[in-house]
Amino acid sequence: MSENPGAPFPPQNAPHQQWPHQQWPQHQGWPQQPPKKKGLSTKVKVLLLVAALVVVGGGIGFIFVMKAAVGPEKQAKALTEGDCVVLTGSGKEADAVKTPCDSPQAPYAVSLTGLDKGEWDCKDGFYKYAVPRGARGDGVALCLAINAKVGLCFDDIETKTPPPLKDCGSARLKISEVFPQMSVVNSPCAEGTAEVISYASYGTTKFKSATICFVKP
């Protein structure tokens, strides 16, 4: 047999030598590792981040401008007959905030609610109060009664607008008695009563008729 110089094995009795590591071909059945994609450079990433922040910042600014234009939502829109309220703010910022009726700082009770379309009024003995809603459409129209709670003090209770709650040390009138019905002819108030207000219900179950007796504190 002729000598084959390309044989993969060294000849017998040859001195030991280090053979180079053989590169085996990769098996066709194994998945090939996909080449790595080049990512964006740091400079490009920074520029894109700045652009995104500018866009987001502009959007936030637009939202803030829109919110400032329409103004905050008013709490008066959620009121119903029989709720007791405290009036806050004035002019375009006016609002009526629901408060527990037994609170010493809740001077009014809602007798009727509606939309403020310009021309509206309340029945005699009730106070007219409007809460504007700016760009959100018609405002809220409220007819208010004095919260029939013994101990509250006022000055002029015969006005068309809600009389402010006063400190009893300087007020002209103080609620001394409350009766759960309307009285027109025969007042149930005690002798010496200075003023009397009787409220008739509008037919709702939440706002109830009452007779309120006032004395001088």
Side-chain angles (χ1 to χ4, degrees):
M1 181 181 293
S2 61
E3 186 176 329
N4 184 5
F9 297 101
Q12 292 182 355
N13 301 324
H16 179 72
Q17 58 180 333
Q18 197 167 9
W19 288 75
H21 179 70
Q22 187 171 3
Q23 299 294 325
W24 293 95
Q26 200 167 21
H27 195 280
Q28 296 298 323
W30 293 95
Q32 301 290 327
Q33 185 175 3
K36 293 183 178 180
K37 295 183 179 180
K38 292 185 178 181
L40 297 173
S41 67
T42 303
K43 183 176 180 180
V44 174
K45 289 180 180 178
V46 171
L47 291 177
L48 290 177
L49 176 60
V50 172
L53 289 177
V54 170
V55 173
V56 173
I60 294 174
F62 177 73
I63 293 173
F64 285 159
V65 170
M66 287 298 295
K67 186 173 182 180
V70 299
E73 191 61 71
K74 301 295 181 67
Q75 297 185 51
K77 71 167 190 172
L79 295 174
T80 59
E81 291 88 350
D83 288 341
C84 292
V85 298
V86 171
L87 306 182
T88 63
S90 60
K92 293 182 179 180
E93 303 300 322
D95 200 0
V97 181
K98 183 177 178 179
T99 309
C101 290
D102 58 356
S103 169
Q105 299 301 319
Y108 314 108
V110 178
S111 64
L112 196 64
T113 66
L115 295 178
D116 180 9
K117 294 182 177 294
E119 293 296 328
W120 60 279
D121 209 343
C122 300
K123 290 186 177 181
D124 290 342
F126 294 92
Y127 306 106
K128 178 179 177 179
Y129 192 74
V131 177
R133 296 183 65 189
R136 296 180 183 272
D138 295 327
V140 180
L142 298 174
C143 289
L144 302 176
I146 288 179
N147 182 18
K149 185 175 183 298
V150 173
L152 297 184
C153 294
F154 303 88
D155 275 340
D156 186 4
I157 60 174
E158 296 181 358
T159 62
K160 284 288 186 179
T161 57
L165 192 65
K166 300 287 290 185
D167 181 87
C168 291
S170 59
R172 190 177 69 86
L173 296 171
K174 179 180 180 180
I175 298 178
S176 57
E177 295 177 289
V178 175
F179 298 93
Q181 71 272 346
M182 182 180 181
S183 301
V184 179
V185 180
N186 297 319
S187 172
C189 298
E191 186 176 354
T193 299
E195 299 282 352
V196 177
I197 289 181
S198 280
Y199 290 121
S201 171
Y202 275 82
T204 65
T205 57
K206 292 183 179 180
F207 178 77
K208 299 178 181 180
S209 300
T211 296
I212 306 176
C213 312
F214 296 84
V215 296
K216 295 182 178 181

